[in-house]
């Protein structure tokens, strides 16, 4: 029976490839990274980034004080860098923004006299 299975004699050590476990480590690291990303999205309340139909706007400030606005509409994500320059032009006042003591900003749209009566 031994001649059909071609088993190594017991006195010889079994040959093992020392690099065979590297592929398993790579797979484990990918699973860990995906789990970490899901945990971070959940912790920071950014689950809307994972939803295909959601619209999200995030303003990020780096250590130098430069701001970047990240806008996600559906499946497209765009990043805008703030220039620090003031804009000029004709426009219509839309409302007022207030910053509370805790840092939260609230936008209050202005209503015209016609809308207020309705």
């Amino acid at each position: 029976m031994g001649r059909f299975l071609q088993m190594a004699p017991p006195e010889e050590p079994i040959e093992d490839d020392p690099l065979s476990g590297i592929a398993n480590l790579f797979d484990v690291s990918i699973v860990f990274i995906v789990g970490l990303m899901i945990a971070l999205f959940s912790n920071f309340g950014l689950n809307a980034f994972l939803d295909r139909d959601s619209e999200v706007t995030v303003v990020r400030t780096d250590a130098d004080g430069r701001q970047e606005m990240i806008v996600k509409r559906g499946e497209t994500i765009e990043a805008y860098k703030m220039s620090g320059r003031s804009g000029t032009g004709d426009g219509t006042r839309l409302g007022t923004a207030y910053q509370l003591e805790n840092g939260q900003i609230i936008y209050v749209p202005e209503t015209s006299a016609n809308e207020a009566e309705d």
Side-chain angles (χ1 to χ4, degrees), residues 1-73:
M1 185 163 144
R3 77 180 160 178
F4 294 114
L5 295 176
Q6 298 178 356
M7 295 173 52
E11 60 270 358
E12 293 181 20
I14 299 174
E15 293 183 24
D16 208 10
D17 184 15
L19 297 177
S20 65
I22 297 297
N24 291 338
L25 289 176
F26 179 76
D27 294 341
V28 168
S29 66
I30 293 296
V31 170
F32 177 75
I33 290 170
V34 170
L36 184 62
M37 286 177 49
I38 291 171
L40 288 174
F41 274 103
S42 305
N43 189 32
F44 291 117
L46 299 176
N47 292 335
F49 272 112
L50 301 176
D51 186 15
R52 286 186 172 195
D53 300 326
S54 67
E55 293 188 13
V56 179
T57 302
V58 176
V59 178
R60 186 176 75 91
T61 306
D62 63 5
D64 296 331
R66 293 182 296 231
Q67 290 186 334
E68 181 179 19
M69 185 169 61
I70 302 168
V71 179
K72 177 190 174 286
R73 290 184 189 103

Side-chain angles (χ1 to χ4, degrees), residues 59-101:
V59 178
R60 186 176 75 91
T61 306
D62 63 5
D64 296 331
R66 293 182 296 231
Q67 290 186 334
E68 181 179 19
M69 185 169 61
I70 302 168
V71 179
K72 177 190 174 286
R73 290 184 189 103
E75 293 184 2
T76 60
I77 298 176
E78 298 175 3
Y80 303 100
K81 295 192 185 257
M82 305 293 180
S83 65
R85 295 180 292 162
S86 295
T88 59
D90 295 329
T92 304
R93 183 179 173 105
L94 297 176
T96 308
Y98 298 97
Q99 183 171 12
L100 302 178
E101 292 176 357

